[in-house]
Amino acid sequence: MSKVLACVDGSEISDRVLAKAVDRVKSEGGELVVLYVVEDFCPVGLTEIDCDMVRDFMRKEAKVIIDQALEKVRAMGVEAKGVIREGRPADEIVAFAKDEGIDEIFIGSHGRHGAKKVLLGSVSSRVVEYAACPVTVIK
Ligand SMILES: Nc1ncnc2c1ncn2[C@@H]1O[C@H](COP(=O)(O)OP(=O)(O)OP(=O)(O)O)[C@@H](O)[C@H]1O
Ligand SMILES: [Mg+2]
């Protein structure tokens, strides 16, 4: 059975990523996994205690992003598995896809930062470059 991975970051384009991934699963069958990576990030100058608070906030935000994504997928008539990872988003996506034997990755051309002057965001460009499986970039 084929495995489809939808990468979401809570941006508007994530909804289109989910819709296209759902279409693929509906037309070709298979399993859908929705992934969000919490960035392992602590701004320079923060103390370890502050960083723990930032991490705590980001983990809560991750849960909201995944829950909302699963809700949207369900509303389109598909059950998906939600996964949260921590680290560098692109590297985690590529490693997850490899470890889980993902057949196709769906990702947005841009995300939350959305600088339209670049053709691809930093996460999507790295995933296109390093993933071992086909990557469908949603615009
Ligand atoms: N933390 C993340 N977890 C999972 N998928 C992500 C994450 N960040 C981005 N993505 C995926 O990559 C796509 C492109 O986002 P990306 O971060 O590359 O662009 P951006 O936010 O516009 O620019 P920037 O490079 O400044 O972050 C998103 O639509 C989403 O599919
Ligand atoms: Mg981004």
mmCIF file with all atom_site columns, all heavy atoms in Angstrom, residues 39-62:
data_model
loop_
_atom_site.group_PDB
_atom_site.id
_atom_site.type_symbol
_atom_site.label_atom_id
_atom_site.label_alt_id
_atom_site.label_comp_id
_atom_site.label_asym_id
_atom_site.label_entity_id
_atom_site.label_seq_id
_atom_site.pdbx_PDB_ins_code
_atom_site.Cartn_x
_atom_site.Cartn_y
_atom_site.Cartn_z
_atom_site.occupancy
_atom_site.B_iso_or_equiv
_atom_site.pdbx_formal_charge
_atom_site.auth_seq_id
_atom_site.auth_comp_id
_atom_site.auth_asym_id
_atom_site.auth_atom_id
_atom_site.pdbx_PDB_model_num
ATOM 1   N N   . GLU A 1 39 ? 10.485 23.511 15.141 1.00 0.00 ? 39 GLU A N   1
ATOM 2   C CA  . GLU A 1 39 ? 11.866 23.932 14.960 1.00 0.00 ? 39 GLU A CA  1
ATOM 3   C C   . GLU A 1 39 ? 12.585 23.955 16.301 1.00 0.00 ? 39 GLU A C   1
ATOM 4   O O   . GLU A 1 39 ? 12.068 24.476 17.277 1.00 0.00 ? 39 GLU A O   1
ATOM 5   C CB  . GLU A 1 39 ? 11.898 25.316 14.328 1.00 0.00 ? 39 GLU A CB  1
ATOM 6   C CG  . GLU A 1 39 ? 12.853 25.362 13.174 1.00 0.00 ? 39 GLU A CG  1
ATOM 7   C CD  . GLU A 1 39 ? 12.617 26.587 12.316 1.00 0.00 ? 39 GLU A CD  1
ATOM 8   O OE1 . GLU A 1 39 ? 11.455 26.876 11.996 1.00 0.00 ? 39 GLU A OE1 1
ATOM 9   O OE2 . GLU A 1 39 ? 13.618 27.247 11.994 1.00 0.00 ? 39 GLU A OE2 1
ATOM 10  N N   . ASP A 1 40 ? 13.762 23.376 16.306 1.00 0.00 ? 40 ASP A N   1
ATOM 11  C CA  . ASP A 1 40 ? 14.570 23.392 17.510 1.00 0.00 ? 40 ASP A CA  1
ATOM 12  C C   . ASP A 1 40 ? 15.334 24.711 17.495 1.00 0.00 ? 40 ASP A C   1
ATOM 13  O O   . ASP A 1 40 ? 16.394 24.823 16.907 1.00 0.00 ? 40 ASP A O   1
ATOM 14  C CB  . ASP A 1 40 ? 15.529 22.197 17.494 1.00 0.00 ? 40 ASP A CB  1
ATOM 15  C CG  . ASP A 1 40 ? 16.186 22.018 18.836 1.00 0.00 ? 40 ASP A CG  1
ATOM 16  O OD1 . ASP A 1 40 ? 15.793 22.719 19.783 1.00 0.00 ? 40 ASP A OD1 1
ATOM 17  O OD2 . ASP A 1 40 ? 17.095 21.179 18.940 1.00 0.00 ? 40 ASP A OD2 1
ATOM 18  N N   . PHE A 1 41 ? 14.744 25.708 18.117 1.00 0.00 ? 41 PHE A N   1
ATOM 19  C CA  . PHE A 1 41 ? 15.207 27.068 17.907 1.00 0.00 ? 41 PHE A CA  1
ATOM 20  C C   . PHE A 1 41 ? 15.134 27.848 19.200 1.00 0.00 ? 41 PHE A C   1
ATOM 21  O O   . PHE A 1 41 ? 14.127 27.822 19.891 1.00 0.00 ? 41 PHE A O   1
ATOM 22  C CB  . PHE A 1 41 ? 14.295 27.694 16.840 1.00 0.00 ? 41 PHE A CB  1
ATOM 23  C CG  . PHE A 1 41 ? 14.346 29.185 16.758 1.00 0.00 ? 41 PHE A CG  1
ATOM 24  C CD1 . PHE A 1 41 ? 15.403 29.824 16.136 1.00 0.00 ? 41 PHE A CD1 1
ATOM 25  C CD2 . PHE A 1 41 ? 13.322 29.953 17.297 1.00 0.00 ? 41 PHE A CD2 1
ATOM 26  C CE1 . PHE A 1 41 ? 15.437 31.204 16.051 1.00 0.00 ? 41 PHE A CE1 1
ATOM 27  C CE2 . PHE A 1 41 ? 13.352 31.335 17.216 1.00 0.00 ? 41 PHE A CE2 1
ATOM 28  C CZ  . PHE A 1 41 ? 14.422 31.963 16.590 1.00 0.00 ? 41 PHE A CZ  1
ATOM 29  N N   . CYS A 1 42 ? 16.236 28.490 19.539 1.00 0.00 ? 42 CYS A N   1
ATOM 30  C CA  . CYS A 1 42 ? 16.213 29.347 20.715 1.00 0.00 ? 42 CYS A CA  1
ATOM 31  C C   . CYS A 1 42 ? 16.994 30.614 20.384 1.00 0.00 ? 42 CYS A C   1
ATOM 32  O O   . CYS A 1 42 ? 18.193 30.560 20.134 1.00 0.00 ? 42 CYS A O   1
ATOM 33  C CB  . CYS A 1 42 ? 16.842 28.621 21.894 1.00 0.00 ? 42 CYS A CB  1
ATOM 34  S SG  . CYS A 1 42 ? 16.606 29.519 23.408 1.00 0.00 ? 42 CYS A SG  1
ATOM 35  N N   . PRO A 1 43 ? 16.306 31.760 20.352 1.00 0.00 ? 43 PRO A N   1
ATOM 36  C CA  . PRO A 1 43 ? 16.983 32.992 19.940 1.00 0.00 ? 43 PRO A CA  1
ATOM 37  C C   . PRO A 1 43 ? 18.193 33.309 20.819 1.00 0.00 ? 43 PRO A C   1
ATOM 38  O O   . PRO A 1 43 ? 18.160 33.049 22.029 1.00 0.00 ? 43 PRO A O   1
ATOM 39  C CB  . PRO A 1 43 ? 15.897 34.065 20.102 1.00 0.00 ? 43 PRO A CB  1
ATOM 40  C CG  . PRO A 1 43 ? 14.614 33.326 20.140 1.00 0.00 ? 43 PRO A CG  1
ATOM 41  C CD  . PRO A 1 43 ? 14.910 31.976 20.711 1.00 0.00 ? 43 PRO A CD  1
ATOM 42  N N   . VAL A 1 44 ? 19.210 33.835 20.186 1.00 0.00 ? 44 VAL A N   1
ATOM 43  C CA  . VAL A 1 44 ? 20.424 34.221 20.914 1.00 0.00 ? 44 VAL A CA  1
ATOM 44  C C   . VAL A 1 44 ? 20.044 35.209 22.029 1.00 0.00 ? 44 VAL A C   1
ATOM 45  O O   . VAL A 1 44 ? 19.213 36.091 21.834 1.00 0.00 ? 44 VAL A O   1
ATOM 46  C CB  . VAL A 1 44 ? 21.416 34.907 19.945 1.00 0.00 ? 44 VAL A CB  1
ATOM 47  C CG1 . VAL A 1 44 ? 22.672 35.356 20.692 1.00 0.00 ? 44 VAL A CG1 1
ATOM 48  C CG2 . VAL A 1 44 ? 21.771 33.970 18.809 1.00 0.00 ? 44 VAL A CG2 1
ATOM 49  N N   . GLY A 1 45 ? 20.624 35.018 23.191 1.00 0.00 ? 45 GLY A N   1
ATOM 50  C CA  . GLY A 1 45 ? 20.380 35.966 24.281 1.00 0.00 ? 45 GLY A CA  1
ATOM 51  C C   . GLY A 1 45 ? 19.366 35.463 25.291 1.00 0.00 ? 45 GLY A C   1
ATOM 52  O O   . GLY A 1 45 ? 19.264 36.013 26.377 1.00 0.00 ? 45 GLY A O   1
ATOM 53  N N   . LEU A 1 46 ? 18.604 34.419 24.920 1.00 0.00 ? 46 LEU A N   1
ATOM 54  C CA  . LEU A 1 46 ? 17.637 33.889 25.893 1.00 0.00 ? 46 LEU A CA  1
ATOM 55  C C   . LEU A 1 46 ? 18.334 32.931 26.854 1.00 0.00 ? 46 LEU A C   1
ATOM 56  O O   . LEU A 1 46 ? 19.267 32.231 26.484 1.00 0.00 ? 46 LEU A O   1
ATOM 57  C CB  . LEU A 1 46 ? 16.504 33.140 25.175 1.00 0.00 ? 46 LEU A CB  1
ATOM 58  C CG  . LEU A 1 46 ? 15.506 33.975 24.379 1.00 0.00 ? 46 LEU A CG  1
ATOM 59  C CD1 . LEU A 1 46 ? 14.289 33.121 24.036 1.00 0.00 ? 46 LEU A CD1 1
ATOM 60  C CD2 . LEU A 1 46 ? 15.032 35.202 25.169 1.00 0.00 ? 46 LEU A CD2 1
ATOM 61  N N   . THR A 1 47 ? 17.826 32.896 28.065 1.00 0.00 ? 47 THR A N   1
ATOM 62  C CA  . THR A 1 47 ? 18.363 31.948 29.036 1.00 0.00 ? 47 THR A CA  1
ATOM 63  C C   . THR A 1 47 ? 17.741 30.579 28.785 1.00 0.00 ? 47 THR A C   1
ATOM 64  O O   . THR A 1 47 ? 16.760 30.456 28.031 1.00 0.00 ? 47 THR A O   1
ATOM 65  C CB  . THR A 1 47 ? 17.991 32.362 30.472 1.00 0.00 ? 47 THR A CB  1
ATOM 66  O OG1 . THR A 1 47 ? 16.565 32.284 30.582 1.00 0.00 ? 47 THR A OG1 1
ATOM 67  C CG2 . THR A 1 47 ? 18.457 33.773 30.779 1.00 0.00 ? 47 THR A CG2 1
ATOM 68  N N   . GLU A 1 48 ? 18.272 29.567 29.421 1.00 0.00 ? 48 GLU A N   1
ATOM 69  C CA  . GLU A 1 48 ? 17.755 28.209 29.256 1.00 0.00 ? 48 GLU A CA  1
ATOM 70  C C   . GLU A 1 48 ? 16.277 28.140 29.695 1.00 0.00 ? 48 GLU A C   1
ATOM 71  O O   . GLU A 1 48 ? 15.475 27.447 29.078 1.00 0.00 ? 48 GLU A O   1
ATOM 72  C CB  . GLU A 1 48 ? 18.623 27.235 30.049 1.00 0.00 ? 48 GLU A CB  1
ATOM 73  C CG  . GLU A 1 48 ? 18.516 25.790 29.610 1.00 0.00 ? 48 GLU A CG  1
ATOM 74  C CD  . GLU A 1 48 ? 18.519 25.566 28.095 1.00 0.00 ? 48 GLU A CD  1
ATOM 75  O OE1 . GLU A 1 48 ? 19.391 26.115 27.384 1.00 0.00 ? 48 GLU A OE1 1
ATOM 76  O OE2 . GLU A 1 48 ? 17.621 24.852 27.622 1.00 0.00 ? 48 GLU A OE2 1
ATOM 77  N N   . ILE A 1 49 ? 15.943 28.889 30.735 1.00 0.00 ? 49 ILE A N   1
ATOM 78  C CA  . ILE A 1 49 ? 14.550 28.895 31.229 1.00 0.00 ? 49 ILE A CA  1
ATOM 79  C C   . ILE A 1 49 ? 13.622 29.507 30.170 1.00 0.00 ? 49 ILE A C   1
ATOM 80  O O   . ILE A 1 49 ? 12.555 28.974 29.870 1.00 0.00 ? 49 ILE A O   1
ATOM 81  C CB  . ILE A 1 49 ? 14.440 29.667 32.571 1.00 0.00 ? 49 ILE A CB  1
ATOM 82  C CG1 . ILE A 1 49 ? 15.192 28.893 33.647 1.00 0.00 ? 49 ILE A CG1 1
ATOM 83  C CG2 . ILE A 1 49 ? 12.981 29.863 32.981 1.00 0.00 ? 49 ILE A CG2 1
ATOM 84  C CD1 . ILE A 1 49 ? 15.437 29.673 34.923 1.00 0.00 ? 49 ILE A CD1 1
ATOM 85  N N   . ASP A 1 50 ? 14.059 30.636 29.598 1.00 0.00 ? 50 ASP A N   1
ATOM 86  C CA  . ASP A 1 50 ? 13.264 31.259 28.526 1.00 0.00 ? 50 ASP A CA  1
ATOM 87  C C   . ASP A 1 50 ? 13.093 30.290 27.367 1.00 0.00 ? 50 ASP A C   1
ATOM 88  O O   . ASP A 1 50 ? 12.020 30.174 26.783 1.00 0.00 ? 50 ASP A O   1
ATOM 89  C CB  . ASP A 1 50 ? 13.947 32.544 28.019 1.00 0.00 ? 50 ASP A CB  1
ATOM 90  C CG  . ASP A 1 50 ? 13.903 33.645 29.070 1.00 0.00 ? 50 ASP A CG  1
ATOM 91  O OD1 . ASP A 1 50 ? 13.013 33.612 29.927 1.00 0.00 ? 50 ASP A OD1 1
ATOM 92  O OD2 . ASP A 1 50 ? 14.776 34.532 29.014 1.00 0.00 ? 50 ASP A OD2 1
ATOM 93  N N   . CYS A 1 51 ? 14.181 29.594 27.023 1.00 0.00 ? 51 CYS A N   1
ATOM 94  C CA  . CYS A 1 51 ? 14.129 28.660 25.896 1.00 0.00 ? 51 CYS A CA  1
ATOM 95  C C   . CYS A 1 51 ? 13.142 27.530 26.166 1.00 0.00 ? 51 CYS A C   1
ATOM 96  O O   . CYS A 1 51 ? 12.438 27.094 25.265 1.00 0.00 ? 51 CYS A O   1
ATOM 97  C CB  . CYS A 1 51 ? 15.512 28.079 25.612 1.00 0.00 ? 51 CYS A CB  1
ATOM 98  S SG  . CYS A 1 51 ? 16.547 29.251 24.758 1.00 0.00 ? 51 CYS A SG  1
ATOM 99  N N   . ASP A 1 52 ? 13.099 27.073 27.421 1.00 0.00 ? 52 ASP A N   1
ATOM 100 C CA  . ASP A 1 52 ? 12.132 26.028 27.776 1.00 0.00 ? 52 ASP A CA  1
ATOM 101 C C   . ASP A 1 52 ? 10.714 26.536 27.549 1.00 0.00 ? 52 ASP A C   1
ATOM 102 O O   . ASP A 1 52 ? 9.847  25.798 27.080 1.00 0.00 ? 52 ASP A O   1
ATOM 103 C CB  . ASP A 1 52 ? 12.296 25.621 29.250 1.00 0.00 ? 52 ASP A CB  1
ATOM 104 C CG  . ASP A 1 52 ? 13.483 24.696 29.435 1.00 0.00 ? 52 ASP A CG  1
ATOM 105 O OD1 . ASP A 1 52 ? 13.991 24.171 28.417 1.00 0.00 ? 52 ASP A OD1 1
ATOM 106 O OD2 . ASP A 1 52 ? 13.907 24.516 30.590 1.00 0.00 ? 52 ASP A OD2 1
ATOM 107 N N   . MET A 1 53 ? 10.479 27.814 27.875 1.00 0.00 ? 53 MET A N   1
ATOM 108 C CA  . MET A 1 53 ? 9.141  28.389 27.663 1.00 0.00 ? 53 MET A CA  1
ATOM 109 C C   . MET A 1 53 ? 8.822  28.483 26.174 1.00 0.00 ? 53 MET A C   1
ATOM 110 O O   . MET A 1 53 ? 7.699  28.195 25.751 1.00 0.00 ? 53 MET A O   1
ATOM 111 C CB  . MET A 1 53 ? 9.049  29.774 28.303 1.00 0.00 ? 53 MET A CB  1
ATOM 112 C CG  . MET A 1 53 ? 8.842  29.702 29.805 1.00 0.00 ? 53 MET A CG  1
ATOM 113 S SD  . MET A 1 53 ? 9.046  31.308 30.593 1.00 0.00 ? 53 MET A SD  1
ATOM 114 C CE  . MET A 1 53 ? 7.662  32.188 29.890 1.00 0.00 ? 53 MET A CE  1
ATOM 115 N N   . VAL A 1 54 ? 9.820  28.884 25.379 1.00 0.00 ? 54 VAL A N   1
ATOM 116 C CA  . VAL A 1 54 ? 9.626  28.968 23.927 1.00 0.00 ? 54 VAL A CA  1
ATOM 117 C C   . VAL A 1 54 ? 9.293  27.580 23.380 1.00 0.00 ? 54 VAL A C   1
ATOM 118 O O   . VAL A 1 54 ? 8.351  27.407 22.605 1.00 0.00 ? 54 VAL A O   1
ATOM 119 C CB  . VAL A 1 54 ? 10.894 29.538 23.218 1.00 0.00 ? 54 VAL A CB  1
ATOM 120 C CG1 . VAL A 1 54 ? 10.772 29.415 21.705 1.00 0.00 ? 54 VAL A CG1 1
ATOM 121 C CG2 . VAL A 1 54 ? 11.122 30.991 23.609 1.00 0.00 ? 54 VAL A CG2 1
ATOM 122 N N   . ARG A 1 55 ? 10.058 26.586 23.820 1.00 0.00 ? 55 ARG A N   1
ATOM 123 C CA  . ARG A 1 55 ? 9.827  25.212 23.350 1.00 0.00 ? 55 ARG A CA  1
ATOM 124 C C   . ARG A 1 55 ? 8.431  24.720 23.731 1.00 0.00 ? 55 ARG A C   1
ATOM 125 O O   . ARG A 1 55 ? 7.746  24.093 22.935 1.00 0.00 ? 55 ARG A O   1
ATOM 126 C CB  . ARG A 1 55 ? 10.879 24.268 23.947 1.00 0.00 ? 55 ARG A CB  1
ATOM 127 C CG  . ARG A 1 55 ? 12.131 24.254 23.128 1.00 0.00 ? 55 ARG A CG  1
ATOM 128 C CD  . ARG A 1 55 ? 13.097 23.165 23.577 1.00 0.00 ? 55 ARG A CD  1
ATOM 129 N NE  . ARG A 1 55 ? 14.433 23.641 23.316 1.00 0.00 ? 55 ARG A NE  1
ATOM 130 C CZ  . ARG A 1 55 ? 15.293 24.064 24.228 1.00 0.00 ? 55 ARG A CZ  1
ATOM 131 N NH1 . ARG A 1 55 ? 14.983 24.013 25.505 1.00 0.00 ? 55 ARG A NH1 1
ATOM 132 N NH2 . ARG A 1 55 ? 16.470 24.520 23.875 1.00 0.00 ? 55 ARG A NH2 1
ATOM 133 N N   . ASP A 1 56 ? 8.043  25.033 24.949 1.00 0.00 ? 56 ASP A N   1
ATOM 134 C CA  . ASP A 1 56 ? 6.733  24.624 25.444 1.00 0.00 ? 56 ASP A CA  1
ATOM 135 C C   . ASP A 1 56 ? 5.628  25.233 24.575 1.00 0.00 ? 56 ASP A C   1
ATOM 136 O O   . ASP A 1 56 ? 4.694  24.550 24.156 1.00 0.00 ? 56 ASP A O   1
ATOM 137 C CB  . ASP A 1 56 ? 6.600  25.119 26.896 1.00 0.00 ? 56 ASP A CB  1
ATOM 138 C CG  . ASP A 1 56 ? 5.451  24.433 27.589 1.00 0.00 ? 56 ASP A CG  1
ATOM 139 O OD1 . ASP A 1 56 ? 5.374  23.203 27.460 1.00 0.00 ? 56 ASP A OD1 1
ATOM 140 O OD2 . ASP A 1 56 ? 4.641  25.138 28.223 1.00 0.00 ? 56 ASP A OD2 1
ATOM 141 N N   . PHE A 1 57 ? 5.792  26.529 24.294 1.00 0.00 ? 57 PHE A N   1
ATOM 142 C CA  . PHE A 1 57 ? 4.821  27.228 23.442 1.00 0.00 ? 57 PHE A CA  1
ATOM 143 C C   . PHE A 1 57 ? 4.782  26.591 22.056 1.00 0.00 ? 57 PHE A C   1
ATOM 144 O O   . PHE A 1 57 ? 3.703  26.332 21.495 1.00 0.00 ? 57 PHE A O   1
ATOM 145 C CB  . PHE A 1 57 ? 5.206  28.721 23.347 1.00 0.00 ? 57 PHE A CB  1
ATOM 146 C CG  . PHE A 1 57 ? 4.376  29.469 22.346 1.00 0.00 ? 57 PHE A CG  1
ATOM 147 C CD1 . PHE A 1 57 ? 3.114  29.932 22.681 1.00 0.00 ? 57 PHE A CD1 1
ATOM 148 C CD2 . PHE A 1 57 ? 4.856  29.692 21.053 1.00 0.00 ? 57 PHE A CD2 1
ATOM 149 C CE1 . PHE A 1 57 ? 2.334  30.612 21.750 1.00 0.00 ? 57 PHE A CE1 1
ATOM 150 C CE2 . PHE A 1 57 ? 4.083  30.363 20.118 1.00 0.00 ? 57 PHE A CE2 1
ATOM 151 C CZ  . PHE A 1 57 ? 2.823  30.827 20.463 1.00 0.00 ? 57 PHE A CZ  1
ATOM 152 N N   . MET A 1 58 ? 5.965  26.316 21.507 1.00 0.00 ? 58 MET A N   1
ATOM 153 C CA  . MET A 1 58 ? 6.021  25.769 20.143 1.00 0.00 ? 58 MET A CA  1
ATOM 154 C C   . MET A 1 58 ? 5.431  24.352 20.069 1.00 0.00 ? 58 MET A C   1
ATOM 155 O O   . MET A 1 58 ? 4.832  23.980 19.071 1.00 0.00 ? 58 MET A O   1
ATOM 156 C CB  . MET A 1 58 ? 7.459  25.791 19.626 1.00 0.00 ? 58 MET A CB  1
ATOM 157 C CG  . MET A 1 58 ? 7.912  27.216 19.307 1.00 0.00 ? 58 MET A CG  1
ATOM 158 S SD  . MET A 1 58 ? 9.663  27.327 18.958 1.00 0.00 ? 58 MET A SD  1
ATOM 159 C CE  . MET A 1 58 ? 9.685  26.982 17.215 1.00 0.00 ? 58 MET A CE  1
ATOM 160 N N   . ARG A 1 59 ? 5.598  23.593 21.148 1.00 0.00 ? 59 ARG A N   1
ATOM 161 C CA  . ARG A 1 59 ? 5.006  22.237 21.167 1.00 0.00 ? 59 ARG A CA  1
ATOM 162 C C   . ARG A 1 59 ? 3.489  22.314 21.212 1.00 0.00 ? 59 ARG A C   1
ATOM 163 O O   . ARG A 1 59 ? 2.797  21.524 20.564 1.00 0.00 ? 59 ARG A O   1
ATOM 164 C CB  . ARG A 1 59 ? 5.525  21.455 22.367 1.00 0.00 ? 59 ARG A CB  1
ATOM 165 C CG  . ARG A 1 59 ? 6.946  20.997 22.148 1.00 0.00 ? 59 ARG A CG  1
ATOM 166 C CD  . ARG A 1 59 ? 7.473  20.197 23.315 1.00 0.00 ? 59 ARG A CD  1
ATOM 167 N NE  . ARG A 1 59 ? 8.875  19.885 23.079 1.00 0.00 ? 59 ARG A NE  1
ATOM 168 C CZ  . ARG A 1 59 ? 9.831  20.000 23.984 1.00 0.00 ? 59 ARG A CZ  1
ATOM 169 N NH1 . ARG A 1 59 ? 9.554  20.370 25.216 1.00 0.00 ? 59 ARG A NH1 1
ATOM 170 N NH2 . ARG A 1 59 ? 11.081 19.716 23.663 1.00 0.00 ? 59 ARG A NH2 1
ATOM 171 N N   . LYS A 1 60 ? 2.975  23.274 21.977 1.00 0.00 ? 60 LYS A N   1
ATOM 172 C CA  . LYS A 1 60 ? 1.508  23.440 22.047 1.00 0.00 ? 60 LYS A CA  1
ATOM 173 C C   . LYS A 1 60 ? 0.976  23.879 20.687 1.00 0.00 ? 60 LYS A C   1
ATOM 174 O O   . LYS A 1 60 ? -0.060 23.401 20.226 1.00 0.00 ? 60 LYS A O   1
ATOM 175 C CB  . LYS A 1 60 ? 1.146  24.474 23.108 1.00 0.00 ? 60 LYS A CB  1
ATOM 176 C CG  . LYS A 1 60 ? 1.312  23.924 24.502 1.00 0.00 ? 60 LYS A CG  1
ATOM 177 C CD  . LYS A 1 60 ? 0.680  24.832 25.545 1.00 0.00 ? 60 LYS A CD  1
ATOM 178 C CE  . LYS A 1 60 ? 0.810  24.236 26.932 1.00 0.00 ? 60 LYS A CE  1
ATOM 179 N NZ  . LYS A 1 60 ? 1.598  25.074 27.837 1.00 0.00 ? 60 LYS A NZ  1
ATOM 180 N N   . GLU A 1 61 ? 1.695  24.802 20.067 1.00 0.00 ? 61 GLU A N   1
ATOM 181 C CA  . GLU A 1 61 ? 1.300  25.284 18.738 1.00 0.00 ? 61 GLU A CA  1
ATOM 182 C C   . GLU A 1 61 ? 1.302  24.117 17.732 1.00 0.00 ? 61 GLU A C   1
ATOM 183 O O   . GLU A 1 61 ? 0.409  24.004 16.894 1.00 0.00 ? 61 GLU A O   1
ATOM 184 C CB  . GLU A 1 61 ? 2.291  26.371 18.301 1.00 0.00 ? 61 GLU A CB  1
ATOM 185 C CG  . GLU A 1 61 ? 1.910  27.036 17.005 1.00 0.00 ? 61 GLU A CG  1
ATOM 186 C CD  . GLU A 1 61 ? 2.999  27.968 16.505 1.00 0.00 ? 61 GLU A CD  1
ATOM 187 O OE1 . GLU A 1 61 ? 4.198  27.652 16.658 1.00 0.00 ? 61 GLU A OE1 1
ATOM 188 O OE2 . GLU A 1 61 ? 2.635  29.009 15.931 1.00 0.00 ? 61 GLU A OE2 1
ATOM 189 N N   . ALA A 1 62 ? 2.302  23.251 17.854 1.00 0.00 ? 62 ALA A N   1
ATOM 190 C CA  . ALA A 1 62 ? 2.405  22.100 16.947 1.00 0.00 ? 62 ALA A CA  1
ATOM 191 C C   . ALA A 1 62 ? 1.171  21.212 17.055 1.00 0.00 ? 62 ALA A C   1
ATOM 192 O O   . ALA A 1 62 ? 0.644  20.736 16.046 1.00 0.00 ? 62 ALA A O   1
ATOM 193 C CB  . ALA A 1 62 ? 3.662  21.291 17.282 1.00 0.00 ? 62 ALA A CB  1
#
